[in-house]
């Protein structure tokens, strides 16, 4: 069955370190998204991609970057981790157009 | 005004009752609407999508869309304790490309 997987599921890192969260989907979806979810803020869009070599900033993109070198993967990089980036991160993908999105299991990141 | 609004709850209903969850959105041109369920500590999972005015039924779930009123709702019939979760409304707003904007979620508690 097609799926979307995130790794790691849990990570603790120190302030100032670079961290990369992986997202891999086998749906062959063109669209991929990264969200963070915090109490009181709901799901907020960090970055998104509509296809290979396409990346765009979402509403909370400062301190994050993504790259899309193939259809299946959209890794999220925290350039210099900050305590404010402690959160649960979700990757999602959808087919082109306005169809439903499917989510990965999430990554709980703690920056100490 | 936030783009997608929901009552945060908690909404408590007795087992077997109908739970009614509501969502309003800001962009009259929006065409695609989704309901997700999220259990504590888990990722959002799609319940239903709806694109046309009227009702769409799937088992115990019915989504209702009224584009003129910019309103979408989810009814859960014969509510079960296993339905206790946070319900997220998501909209692809007309001026947001193919991105999903999520409401803050409504926490539902079904009491045995």
């Amino acid at each position: 069955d097609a799926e979307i997987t995130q790794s790691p599921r849990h990570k603790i890192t120190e302030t100032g370190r670079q961290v990369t969260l992986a997202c891999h989907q086998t749906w062959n979806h063109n669209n991929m998204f990264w969200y963070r979810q915090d109490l009181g803020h709901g799901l907020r869009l960090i970055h998104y991609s509509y296809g290979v070599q396409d990346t765009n900033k979402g509403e909370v993109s400062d301190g994050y970057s993504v790259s899309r070198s193939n259809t299946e993967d959209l890794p999220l990089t925290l350039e210099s981790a900050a305590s404010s980036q402690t959160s649960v991160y979700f990757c999602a993908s959808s087919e082109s157009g306005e169809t439903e999105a499917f989510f990965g299991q999430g990554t709980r990141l703690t920056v100490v | 005004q936030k783009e997608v609004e929901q009552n945060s709850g908690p909404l408590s209903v007795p087992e077997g009752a109908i739970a009614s969850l509501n969502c309003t959105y800001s962009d009259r041109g929006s065409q695609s609407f989704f309901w997700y369920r999220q259990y504590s500590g888990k990722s959002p999972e799609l319940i239903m999508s709806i694109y046309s005015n009227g009702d769409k039924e799937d088992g115990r779930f019915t989504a209702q869309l009224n584009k003129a009123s910019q309103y979408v709702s989810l009814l859960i019939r014969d509510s079960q304790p296993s339905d206790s979760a946070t319900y997220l409304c998501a909209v692809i707003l007309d001026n947001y490309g193919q991105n999903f904007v999520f409401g803050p979620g409504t926490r539902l508690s079904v009491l045995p």
Side-chain angles (χ1 to χ4, degrees), chain B:
Chain B
Q1 180 190 4
K2 296 183 180 178
E3 289 103 353
V4 179
E5 298 199 57
Q6 299 177 251
N7 291 328
S8 60
L11 172 66
S12 295
V13 300
E15 183 174 356
I18 296 176
S20 177
L21 305 164
N22 303 317
C23 173
T24 58
Y25 59 95
S26 60
D27 193 330
R28 184 175 290 274
S30 299
Q31 300 294 327
S32 304
F33 308 88
F34 310 89
W35 282 101
Y36 287 83
R37 177 176 62 198
Q38 186 175 25
Y39 292 112
S40 181
K42 302 295 185 182
S43 59
E45 55 179 330
L46 179 72
I47 299 175
M48 293 185 72
S49 58
I50 185 167
Y51 303 95
S52 303
N53 278 329
D55 295 358
K56 179 181 179 182
E57 186 174 319
D58 184 359
R60 296 186 296 111
F61 299 97
T62 299
Q64 299 175 316
L65 175 61
N66 184 326
K67 291 182 181 179
S69 300
Q70 296 173 232
Y71 173 91
V72 57
S73 67
L74 180 70
L75 300 179
I76 306 174
R77 291 182 300 280
D78 188 24
S79 296
Q80 301 297 309
S82 59
D83 295 325
S84 298
T86 296
Y87 290 80
L88 303 171
C89 172
V91 179
I92 298 182
L93 296 177
D94 194 37
N95 60 347
Y96 266 67
Q98 299 175 46
N99 297 338
F100 298 77
V101 179
F102 286 84
T106 298
R107 189 155 55 93
L108 173 66
S109 178
V110 181
L111 306 174

Side-chain angles (χ1 to χ4, degrees), chain A residues 6-71:
Chain A
Q6 295 182 231
S7 61
R9 296 292 310 278
H10 303 271
K11 181 154 183 81
I12 301 174
T13 192
E14 295 178 342
T15 301
R17 290 195 179 267
Q18 184 181 79
V19 177
T20 296
L21 309 182
C23 176
H24 178 80
Q25 54 100 0
T26 58
W27 294 95
N28 200 36
H29 284 164
N30 286 318
N31 299 346
M32 295 185 73
F33 311 89
W34 274 104
Y35 294 90
R36 60 178 290 175
Q37 189 173 39
D38 307 284
L39 279 174
H41 289 282
L43 283 162
R44 292 184 291 173
L45 184 63
I46 304 172
H47 281 284
Y48 60 98
S49 168
Y50 291 156
V52 176
Q53 302 301 332
D54 176 72
T55 61
N56 305 279
K57 294 181 179 180
E59 63 175 303
V60 290
S61 61
D62 286 350
Y64 303 94
S65 64
V66 294
S67 61
R68 186 92 181 270
S69 59
N70 58 52
T71 300

